[in-house]
Amino acid sequence: MRAEVPASGVENPWVEEVQISGHIIDSLILPKILDLITAGRGSFRIKQITIGQARTDPSFALVEVQAPSREVLQDILAQISDHGAVPTALQDCTLVEADMEGAFPEGFYSTTNQRTEIRIGGRWIEVGDQEMDCGVAVNPAGTEARCVAMSDVQKGERIVIGHAGVRVFPHQRATQRQDFEFMNSSVSTEKPKGVAIRQVAQEFFRTKAAGGKSLLVGGPAIVHTGSGEHVCQLIRRGYINTLFAGNALATHDIEQSLFGTSLGVHLEHGGLAEAGHEHHLRAINRIRRVGGIRNAVETGMLRSGIMYECVKNNVDYLLAGSIRDDGPLPEVITDALDAQRQMRTKIRDVQFCLMIATTLHSIAVGNLLPAWVKVVCVDINPSTVIKLSDRGSFQTVGLVTDVEPFFRALVTELNALESGR
Amino acid sequence: MRAEVPASGVENPWVEEVQISGHIIDSLILPKILDLITAGRGSFRIKQITIGQARTDPSFALVEVQAPSREVLQDILAQISDHGAVPTALQDCTLVEADMEGAFPEGFYSTTNQRTEIRIGGRWIEVGDQEMDCGVAVNPAGTEARCVAMSDVQKGERIVIGHAGVRVFPHQRATQRQDFEFMNSSVSTEKPKGVAIRQVAQEFFRTKAAGGKSLLVGGPAIVHTGSGEHVCQLIRRGYINTLFAGNALATHDIEQSLFGTSLGVHLEHGGLAEAGHEHHLRAINRIRRVGGIRNAVETGMLRSGIMYECVKNNVDYLLAGSIRDDGPLPEVITDALDAQRQMRTKIRDVQFCLMIATTLHSIAVGNLLPAWVKVVCVDINPSTVIKLSDRGSFQTVGLVTDVEPFFRALVTELNALESGR
Amino acid sequence: MRAEVPASGVENPWVEEVQISGHIIDSLILPKILDLITAGRGSFRIKQITIGQARTDPSFALVEVQAPSREVLQDILAQISDHGAVPTALQDCTLVEADMEGAFPEGFYSTTNQRTEIRIGGRWIEVGDQEMDCGVAVNPAGTEARCVAMSDVQKGERIVIGHAGVRVFPHQRATQRQDFEFMNSSVSTEKPKGVAIRQVAQEFFRTKAAGGKSLLVGGPAIVHTGSGEHVCQLIRRGYINTLFAGNALATHDIEQSLFGTSLGVHLEHGGLAEAGHEHHLRAINRIRRVGGIRNAVETGMLRSGIMYECVKNNVDYLLAGSIRDDGPLPEVITDALDAQRQMRTKIRDVQFCLMIATTLHSIAVGNLLPAWVKVVCVDINPSTVIKLSDRGSFQTVGLVTDVEPFFRALVTELNALESGR
Amino acid sequence: MRAEVPASGVENPWVEEVQISGHIIDSLILPKILDLITAGRGSFRIKQITIGQARTDPSFALVEVQAPSREVLQDILAQISDHGAVPTALQDCTLVEADMEGAFPEGFYSTTNQRTEIRIGGRWIEVGDQEMDCGVAVNPAGTEARCVAMSDVQKGERIVIGHAGVRVFPHQRATQRQDFEFMNSSVSTEKPKGVAIRQVAQEFFRTKAAGGKSLLVGGPAIVHTGSGEHVCQLIRRGYINTLFAGNALATHDIEQSLFGTSLGVHLEHGGLAEAGHEHHLRAINRIRRVGGIRNAVETGMLRSGIMYECVKNNVDYLLAGSIRDDGPLPEVITDALDAQRQMRTKIRDVQFCLMIATTLHSIAVGNLLPAWVKVVCVDINPSTVIKLSDRGSFQTVGLVTDVEPFFRALVTELNALESGR
């Protein structure tokens, strides 16, 4: 039986009671939910509130949501459910079979990147492969649920419809804060960076020590700015387990290895060698002629650089294509959907992700990662960092700084951590 | 017989004479060439120089290039040939058959985006489909030449090797300057914009009046910033003949049409409707359910917006995919090489190109366009404009300004031009 | 009698009870205060909480603050008092005579830009001339209090010491939000600007209609970008009552009027006239020769432009000097303290302030304005807007857009508002 | 006798012959001059040209400038004279007595920052105290000339009028290039920084070794970003001889020394201590109470930090005030003209200048420095660097990077240089 009923009052006839728990004050969850209710043209009545007396104590609130129509009420519930507001009148989720391939049924539940459970037969089941902007598919037995991308929907799959029977557990800032103290105002360029870089080093160090997996998502500026050797060190020392990049990073890295230039700039003396753009193309052409990066390493043609170290150290690399690519290198996955599918597989067990100097790949990976994976995004351009946080990847800690000095300092900090053992 | 001979002197034993003509002083071509020779560890002797006495008079220079080795000389000649320096000792170009598919033979001539001719059997032939970073393929009869991308090379095709027998006609700033006076320091945000916008309007107006073709390359900020209706007007009035965009522009446009929001922002009152990201997905899902944008227009589901106007006004649109796409919409070309090939076809007869608010698509299109197509790149972020000019698309005029006011002023200027008739 | 007492427990022996009221949930005040207590190494116990059931209902909380030492407790109380937390154990404020000129006694109470009251003889007195980063001086009778800048302290003045007997009424976001809906994420460049500009127009319109005073704080880019005539219109139509600027805005405006250039750029056709920098100097020299801007207008030398309109329309202008000034113009106040003092006088009755294209003057004025004055800061560079909000001028609404199109659209919106009457 | 005569032809009746010598091709001086002639509505005839056959050989050109009127001709000559074009018909400069204090006579010659000579009695005299945007004053004997700022003009001083008898020796890129190879495209963020930083280190090292004087112009971000200790090292090791800054840098440095915070941020752990802004004020107040920074060091109140090291190591520091200052500190020069005059004195013998993280002070100092002083401007915000080069300080090499890592790397490079001895 539904608790959602027309209220007796005239103006707000539709009502539903929701509960919220956790660090709802400290994490700004309650204010956010109350704000959404009002902004969505509803109103609220706080029926009960218990606020944790210490910072680590959880709080609890019981809120009655009122709305002028059923549609408005549903819209509001949909929004606040993404922030952890769960109707107290429990009900199972609604499942509908997909009537076609590659599209959801109308009214499908659209996922967040937060931990989510759905209720089937009175039991709460955790949703697997959590990823934002997907649907939730349930196996025929109704015992397992997982996120499914729109383009991967199979006809006949059972898909969750609406927000009923779905609950979301928002990632709570309070906890996270101890990890990254510097996250408060991430786009400022006038904050001390030393602390932030040390924390990134600690994250790499802890992840490696715990046998976890770290992912580097990087753009070609890593090579342009002369940071390639720093990244090679991180790879050789086991800090980077997976690399996501595009054709450009790999090509400039290989160009640098074969010709000593990156986009025509001689890295060791900074002068311009204008033939550089030719070098770029010739590097790709040579790799295509030998059939790929791995072959180039094995035949001894490629003897240094980031891609060389990836092959030698079994780093799981993925090169995703884009329409601005020259060539591209044989390993580049030119189909965007293919690339997304392969990235999904490779991020399943990532614990820490460093995104650096690439807007395209950072946003793509940010879309795929669940909220509990720690992400640090480094770029010298504040707008990249702003874009990432504008798009809902709110777990992302942004750091506006320069690529090469960042990596140089990161290696120094890791040296300190290692010798401190 | 080659003019390239070891010189008698000890230090610079290799010599070749080149000639340069055109606006070589005013366009900074001669200084650039002399600079490249010296930077490339060669030296030069100016044997003859005639400088145009008026601005429009062409100049001419005969320069002897000296280098310490044959390799250095070849490198220098390769670089300066891209700026129009042609050896006076004429010879035919060298052709080699491609020995495999999808890669050039070693030593291939790498193209610029400038008008280029190659010499076969003593005759100069113009290279067709001019595009930078390609090779040049010649037909079996040796009567036709065209640019070919690395991934499109067929086994057995005859490919130009080296720089001998190739001459480049650099696009000359002097001429171009009359078109866009504001191009001098394109990344400055402190210049008057009114004049620049008026010149863009004139370019659209002239191109339409002459029956030419204008291309808009746009990003989703067109919709976010509330500029959609301005673009719709440009389309309805025949100023935009081709549209290149990604999944994001089309989706936000359709979301705006179906739900009144773009990425969750209600455009008419600026408030946040947080369900917006759902709207985004639901918009894509609906279009996928009806089989595409064109179907959505024809069935009456989609009744307004940029994509609607494209369908209704026969604008030739191309949506190129990327790894950050949700969905995507059915029309999106998800394979990057496919998208490049289709873009190549559609730009063949473009006279004017406006790139706005998209780095990815702007660079991709900038890579494909020949130097003589006028390009204006508009972005509020100076770094996008800097990136475009850093990458050799030097014909690009950058304008750092805000999208919505830009389009608003553009429409006003076009109104003035039309009523001025 | 003080409530501040060593608590019986060992770890947190010092305790004080504070109360907070207002929109403390919705405005994020309570979470902020709890955060500050914990961050300051204290702990808290919420003794009572009443949350407004509707958005407009005020809330109330009684919180016990605990700290390990008296110093830590004082630090915490100092911080949270700036956010409206008032000790329930009421006491008068402490007053100490200034022992020297131009400096406060140690331990002085440092002001915020929020409405503030101090308690003397059991009565709460409102502090006048509210301004951040000042002290509070009380008249001999103890009946009046006002903010006083450090450099203006007179020996013997009675100055408030510590936070006891001081209460602050934080400006509440909930209320403000209705005015500027677009303020949520002010630095984004991808938001619709039309709505924001319309709201700025409404603010100018309302302020003028109500006989209020609007202040324009502007930089020279107003002239460079060709926006001068828009500003002239705003002045002639009575929307700008006060203008704060520097030597540069006035000089470029006068240069534009006398020579048709601004920093060497001919505004009407965008071309460069390199003699421009000379024009700049010659413009200043001429004004110095006639004794000032007002004289230049009266003698007919200066016949157009922003400064001309200021003189003709009795706009109260103030030109503050800086170390990068050429000249400067005779009216420029070269002493920074003098300039601050005169600005303080002129802003006393300002209701609305538009800051545009100047970091220096915007921050200077932001430092002086009380929190309840509406401020909109417009700049094409996001970093200026970020800097303003980083510095505590949190009432500032930032708009990242281009100057000339902004003014053009603003005038259009004002036309619409006027004709709508 | 003047060569400037009405020409016989109808369209261009006014003619003057000028000569240009030096690296006029390589340094782009000739193209620039021809461009200015045409842009200024004149035309030219190259009567003779000799181009250096090697890079280091000087070139020479004899150019006839034609203009439709005497005024246009004068305008053109004025512009091209700033780039080294000297009329072949030699004449003495024209001198006029200043008729009032603080302003030049009409028609005054306006200086560049290039080495300049004036001709008196047939002899060329070098102008002293070279600075842009000044006039040239000549002593009564006619034997000495020096730049004089507008506000410093004395009644009766003899001032140079017009461009006749003035010749300018433009600083030539060719030479400079060997020092700073990285200067080519200074605003790019995607270039390798390691090389650039090494060259800055070499400049500091060379200047110190040669007994020269290095000037640091710095903003408060030096302290915010945690770079204070790096700067202290540079001071202690004798690399910085003069420091120009504002109230903010000194205050945050002192706040950091007294309270461990800078603008409320604890530098060692990056956390926010919101009382910080109070710390800022309290730091200033304490220094005011003891009468200044020097007293604070001598009494032992101030024991560390940049200002402490300046006092201890006899660094000649100058703090220039601005309207956004709190306090200010007693040493701050609040009058902008006073500050300019004192800066002029202190820069007279500076050989190398590093400007970092301050737009205001960088532009102010850039205005004062002659073109032959090497200047490197470092900022994370590209717009600061763009602004500096837009304003004619073209000798400035810009480096877009982050402050703290820059200084960290700079110290490392200096260590390497020192140990390499």
Side-chain angles (χ1 to χ4, degrees), chain B residues 187-203:
Chain B
V187 294
S188 172
T189 56
E190 295 201 344
K191 293 289 164 57
K193 306 291 163 53
V195 182
I197 297 172
R198 193 172 317 137
Q199 290 180 349
V200 173
Q202 284 162 354
E203 211 55 58

Side-chain angles (χ1 to χ4, degrees), chain B residues 25-26 28 31 34-35 38-39 44-46 49 51-55 173 177 185 187-188 190 386-387 390-391, chain D residues 25-26 28 31 34-35 38-39 44-46 49 51-55 173 177 185 187-188 190 386-387 390-391:
Chain B
I25 299 287
D26 200 22
L28 310 184
L34 301 184
D35 209 39
T38 322
F44 61 84
R45 207 163 59 86
I46 296 176
I49 188 158
I51 292 190
Q53 307 234 332
R55 195 169 189 166
R173 202 182 64 126
R177 208 188 154 189
S185 163
V187 294
S188 172
E190 295 201 344
I386 293 172
K387 259 182 202 159
D390 268 15
R391 274 162 213 259
Chain D
I25 299 287
D26 200 22
L28 310 186
L34 301 184
D35 209 39
T38 321
F44 60 84
R45 208 162 59 85
I46 296 176
I49 188 159
I51 293 190
Q53 310 235 328
R55 194 170 188 164
R173 201 181 65 125
R177 209 188 155 188
S185 161
V187 293
S188 172
E190 295 201 344
I386 294 173
K387 259 184 201 158
D390 269 13
R391 275 162 211 261

Side-chain angles (χ1 to χ4, degrees), chain A residues 248-262:
Chain A
L249 178 134
T251 302
H252 298 160
D253 171 64
I254 292 168
E255 176 195 340
Q256 156 73 357
S257 176
L258 299 184
F259 298 99
T261 57
S262 169

Side-chain angles (χ1 to χ4, degrees), chain A residues 58 61 75 97 237 263 317 343:
Chain A
D75 272 2
E97 283 196 5
R237 288 154 73 173
L263 262 191
Y317 64 88
M343 286 194 282

Side-chain angles (χ1 to χ4, degrees), chain C residues 111-166:
Chain C
T111 59
T112 69
N113 60 1
Q114 308 284 357
R115 190 161 73 79
T116 304
E117 292 182 350
I118 61 168
R119 195 166 177 272
I120 300 182
R123 285 200 319 123
W124 288 103
I125 300 172
E126 176 148 359
V127 174
D129 298 348
Q130 191 65 47
E131 178 185 331
M132 68 165 85
D133 296 333
C134 287
V136 175
V138 175
N139 68 344
T143 54
E144 280 177 20
R146 61 182 181 81
C147 288
V148 61
M150 194 185 288
S151 55
D152 290 342
V153 172
Q154 301 299 320
K155 191 173 172 180
E157 267 188 315
R158 293 200 299 166
I159 304 293
V160 176
I161 301 295
H163 284 78
V166 178

Side-chain angles (χ1 to χ4, degrees), chain A residues 35 44-46 53 55, chain C residues 35 44-45 51 53 55:
Chain A
D35 209 38
F44 61 82
R45 207 162 59 85
I46 296 176
Q53 308 236 330
R55 193 167 188 168
Chain C
D35 209 39
F44 61 84
R45 208 162 58 85
I51 292 190
Q53 309 234 330
R55 196 170 187 164

